[in-house]
């Protein structure tokens, strides 16, 4: 009965992502635009039967309801539960035995590293080359997420404001670096900063002051240094500016590669001018760059999705634009310039302040598109363990944002179907030419939440490398 299995996987998926609520989640909320809502909506769209039995009369021929998650959650053991350390000692040998032949697969390239840790006890269950710094590709987004959450907290929102300009009849649209800012009437990716709402509030304030015609300036000076990522013009990322609506996309998409505008700040200001005109405020000239007067009280403000939701969206869809924005917010919160150079200093320092060993690491960007990035498999698993720490609830979105195997985001088609890891595994993918990586968490057969990371280099075939990585992750999920 396929529907039964589908709903069982959904229930288990909830375990994989939310299992640690039984032992570690003390303060993790249901963020509107994040992974949890995505999972709920997707599960609800798949059918009207299955899931927990609420006592209603059964539909003839319908499958039985899948077991409720709480019955499974009880298997996740907190630190110091006694049997956890003993089970870990017995299980480490079987994990090693399962992983060693899989790591020898030539499809993984010439260099590979692995780390597996019990998140509850911190016990290393397996490692090979775990301290070797390698190019991580998009798995570096785990580090970007942890640093941003540690620097700003999960409830932080990024403002986009309109202030009076340097003279009568002038206003300035000021970018704060909100990567969720949209010019669309209905946000394609959930709640976030809205140019539509900002224009409505601005028009109301202007009309209340007797103004129906303005000169519009725009201020994107919060970010410094080159706007272009070192890889140059690329469909995977827009120029990194503090004032960008809809990630500079030239179509209706909200994730994945697509052509981007060359000047997102100006495009955003033009969109804002059109929205003002729709609301009866004429913009008398082409928007131009301007500096908002120091200390000017805003006429109107719109706020981003909370940082927790931004982190979850970034990890689920491997969103490079959000990653670079969050890295710059980390730099600003750390007193560094909001530039690639400032990011490199701030992210490493913030992770070190969490007690993470960053020796040999380099954080040349926030997205992982830069091959100069270097982290180790051990660093990634250490961050995942830190995110599961009951004393670090602010880091929990690092875990809840990870895609679910066979279910969401960049893992939707990986370890899916009959794979033993389907629904059990949550992980961040990483792919550059010759570089393939996978890092995340899985609930093992004994009920422990394990963190794992696999990094590879010089793989000849990316498709074959991904399949080999998926086999490694499935082996962690099933070793006992």
């Amino acid at each position: 009965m396929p529907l039964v299995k589908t709903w069982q996987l959904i229930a288990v998926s909830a375990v994989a992502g939310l299992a640690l609520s039984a032992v570690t989640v003390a303060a993790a909320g249901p963020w509107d635009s994040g992974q949890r809502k995505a999972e709920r909506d997707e599960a609800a769209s798949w059918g009207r039967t299955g899931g927990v039995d609420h006592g209603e009369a059964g539909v003839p021929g319908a499958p039985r309801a899948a077991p409720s998650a709480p019955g499974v959650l009880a298997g996740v053991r907190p630190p110091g539960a006694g049997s956890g350390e003993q089970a870990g000692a017995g299980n480490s040998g079987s994990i090693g035995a399962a992983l060693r032949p899989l790591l020898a697969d030539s499809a993984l390239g010439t260099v590979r590293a692995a780390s597996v840790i019990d998140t509850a006890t911190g016990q290393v269950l397996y490692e090979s080359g775990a301290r070797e710094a390698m190019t991580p590709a998009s798995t570096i987004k785990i580090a970007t997420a942890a640093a941003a959450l540690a620097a700003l907290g999960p409830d932080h929102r990024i403002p986009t404001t309109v202030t009076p300009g340097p003279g009568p009849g002038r206003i300035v649209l000021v970018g704060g670096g909100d990567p969720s800012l949209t010019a669309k009437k209905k946000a394609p990716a959930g709640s976030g900063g809205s140019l539509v709402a900002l224009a409505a509030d601005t028009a109301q304030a202007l009309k209340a002051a007797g103004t129906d015609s303005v000169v519009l300036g725009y201020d994107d000076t919060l970010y410094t240094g080159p706007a272009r990522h070192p890889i140059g013009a690329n469909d995977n990322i827009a120029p990194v500016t503090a004032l960008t609506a809809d990630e500079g996309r030239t179509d209706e998409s909200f994730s994945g590669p697509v052509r981007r505008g060359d000047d997102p700040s100006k495009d955003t200001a033009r969109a804002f001018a059109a929205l003002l005109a729709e609301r009866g405020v004429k913009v008398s000239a082409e928007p131009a760059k301007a500096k908002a007067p120091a200390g000017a009280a805003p006429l109107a403000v719109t706020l981003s999705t909370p940082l927790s939701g931004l982190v979850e969206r970034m990890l689920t869809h491997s969103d490079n634009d959000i990653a670079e924005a969050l890295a710059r917010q980390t730099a600003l919160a750390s007193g560094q310039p909001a530039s690639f150079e400032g990011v490199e200093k701030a992210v490493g320092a913030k992770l070190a302040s969490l007690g993470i060993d960053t020796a040999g690491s380099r954080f040349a960007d926030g997205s992982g598109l830069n091959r100069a990035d270097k982290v180790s498999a051990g660093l990634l698993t250490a961050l995942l363990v830190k995110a599961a720490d009951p004393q670090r609830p602010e880091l929990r979105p690092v875990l809840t944002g990870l895609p679910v195997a066979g279910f969401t985001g960049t893992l939707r088609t990986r370890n899916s179907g009959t794979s033993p890891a389907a629904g059990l595994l949550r992980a961040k993918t990483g792919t550059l030419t010759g570089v393939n990586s996978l890092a995340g968490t899985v609930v093992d057969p004994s009920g422990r939440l394990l963190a794992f990371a696999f990094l590879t280099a010089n793989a000849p075939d990316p498709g074959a490398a991904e399949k080999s990585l998926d086999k490694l992750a499935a082996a962690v999920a099933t070793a006992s």
Side-chain angles (χ1 to χ4, degrees), residues 160 201 224 230 252 314 470:
T160 303
D201 291 345
T224 58
E252 296 302 307
M314 173 188 70
D470 290 345

Side-chain angles (χ1 to χ4, degrees), residues 277-289:
E278 290 177 8
R279 285 151 183 79
V281 176
K282 179 183 177 182
V283 177
S284 59
E286 175 79 352
K289 285 199 172 188

Side-chain angles (χ1 to χ4, degrees), residues 159-166 171-177 181 216-224 241-244 265-266 268-269 272 287-296:
T160 303
T161 62
V162 176
T163 69
I171 61 174
V172 181
L173 175 64
V174 185
L181 186 66
L216 174 63
Y218 61 94
D219 184 346
D220 63 356
T221 58
L222 184 66
Y223 289 177
T224 58
T241 79
L243 182 62
T244 300
S265 296
K266 190 163 192 174
T268 301
F272 186 67
K289 285 199 172 188
K291 189 78 173 83

Side-chain angles (χ1 to χ4, degrees), residues 325-420:
L326 295 186
R328 276 160 177 70
Q329 295 296 317
T330 302
L332 290 168
S334 304
Q336 295 290 342
S339 63
F340 285 107
E341 292 78 8
V343 163
E344 184 166 351
K345 295 176 182 177
V347 171
K350 185 53 65 175
L351 297 183
S353 74
L354 291 173
I356 302 297
D357 181 3
T358 60
S361 299
R362 183 181 178 189
F363 304 95
D365 68 2
S367 62
L369 290 171
N370 196 328
R371 290 178 178 273
D373 291 323
K374 300 294 178 185
V375 304
S376 67
L379 180 144
L380 292 174
T381 50
L383 285 172
L384 294 166
V385 169
K386 189 70 67 173
D389 186 343
Q391 302 305 313
R392 290 287 183 179
E394 74 278 8
L395 300 182
R396 209 71 75 242
V398 173
L399 302 186
T400 58
L402 294 172
V404 179
F407 186 49
T408 58
T410 55
L411 282 188
R412 184 183 179 91
T413 60
R414 294 178 60 175
N415 263 318
S416 58
T418 59
S419 167

Side-chain angles (χ1 to χ4, degrees), residues 49 57-63:
T49 56
V59 179

